[in-house]
Amino acid sequence: MRTDLAEHAAFGGVVPEVAARAHAVILDRVIGEALSRASVSPGDLDAIAAAAGPGLIGGVMVGLTTAKAMALAHKLHLIPINHLEGHALSARMTERVDFPFLLLLVSGGHTQLVLVDGVGRYRRLGTTIDDAAGEAFDKSAKLLGLGQPGGPCIEAAARNGRADRFRFPAPLAGRAGSDFSLSGMKTALRLAAEDLAAPTKRDVADLAASFQSAVARHLAGQTGKALERLADEGVAVGSLVAAGGVAANGAILAELSAIASDRGLALVVPPAKYCTDNGAMIAWAGAERLASGKTVSREEALAFAPRPRWPLADPIVGAEFGGGRKGPKA
Ligand code: KG4
Ligand code: ZN
């Protein structure tokens, strides 16, 4: 299994069938290890939370079905969780972050601005109209002949580069709203690289630094517009939270920190292990739902079908605002 995964990882992608099989192979062991490290047995638990979407359906099905089996065997509550809700609430695991706050979620698959007004109360203020930020980093790293995942490789290459050497677009800057567009950055990078006959290491460093800085300015600029909109609406957010793998990027964090401090807000970034995809954030979201009574009934949870697509503003219960469809009642 490891060989399979290493092989596919080398191609910079996830093969859904291989990923689902890997889940099935290691899940029991991972759960066993988690329980033994916490010195608890399944019967000691109040509930079991599992990601029920969005995402590659094979892996989600394996996880949710295992959780259903455990809930049945040990008579536990089952709490299906939206993966994005895990990211949204993850900062509260390690820091005191009061509602409402603005979340910038930047990962390989998502680039979103979400007003988090409470558990189950989410309003999306912006999303990417083309590539996700992590995807743009990964594709651009490939174009520059750097490794995968692309984000850390671009950040490392950019460390020795000049960010002001190449000009990049400022997408959607003059327009209202706080959506993102990242595919133009990738095109600009390709055109700049093509202009150089045989790019040297120095050129690659400058290209990486210019690209990274343009992405950072774009993310921070659109985030600033969302904060302005909230201020205009009289919504007093206390912090800006950045989560997802791309939030590990120092240049992006520096731009976000400036945007936040301009407005007297704290910038909160969960530690990398909780910022990127992880099981603890799903358990945490389940605990938050359990504590606030925002859970579905046991019957509904056991019948819950995995959702390959599941916008965050479409929670299971309590679609108080955000245009979400009203889900089954608790
Ligand atoms: O949240 P994440 O670990 O997984 C999901 O996408 O679900 O995010 C992975 C993405 C990859 O595209 C990777 O290139 C990017 O996060 N990433 C970074 C950095 N570290 C990881 N992007 C920019 N700078 C980084 N330091
Ligand atoms: Zn994720």
Side-chain angles (χ1 to χ4, degrees), residues 8-191:
H8 291 297
F11 287 108
V14 173
V15 177
E17 192 54 39
V18 176
R21 260 194 301 140
H23 275 68
V25 169
I26 65 167
L27 199 53
D28 285 349
R29 197 178 76 218
V30 169
I31 293 171
E33 263 179 44
L35 290 171
S36 92
R37 278 167 60 182
S39 304
V40 291
S41 59
D44 299 329
L45 303 174
D46 292 314
I48 178 158
L56 291 175
I57 201 68
V60 174
M61 259 162 66
V62 172
L64 186 58
T65 308
T66 303
K68 285 180 181 178
M70 283 187 69
L72 280 170
H74 302 287
K75 299 193 170 46
L76 304 173
H77 273 299
L78 171 66
I79 310 176
I81 296 292
N82 182 318
H83 175 89
L84 301 174
E85 179 170 56
H87 281 300
L89 300 175
S90 62
R92 288 165 53 84
M93 219 187 308
T94 49
E95 299 217 29
R96 189 185 161 156
V97 182
D98 292 331
F99 301 121
F101 60 86
L102 181 66
L103 167 77
L104 172 67
L105 173 58
V106 271
S107 69
H110 299 280
T111 302
Q112 298 192 359
L113 281 164
V114 178
L115 172 66
V116 182
D117 196 41
V119 177
R121 290 173 61 86
Y122 311 107
R123 181 173 140 208
R124 198 172 76 183
L125 297 174
T127 188
T128 179
I129 59 170
D130 40 55
D131 289 351
E135 191 183 356
F137 271 100
D138 293 342
K139 288 179 179 168
S140 299
K142 201 168 168 202
L143 207 135
L144 291 176
L146 302 170
Q148 295 291 328
C153 296
I154 290 202
E155 185 167 23
R159 219 156 267 143
N160 309 309
R162 269 182 46 206
D164 59 355
R165 174 157 163 214
F166 297 98
R167 286 181 66 80
F168 275 76
L172 310 175
R175 290 206 226 150
S178 29
D179 280 339
F180 301 97
S181 171
L182 290 135
S183 70
M185 305 273 187
K186 203 181 55 201
T187 311
L189 181 76
R190 184 172 50 76
L191 295 176

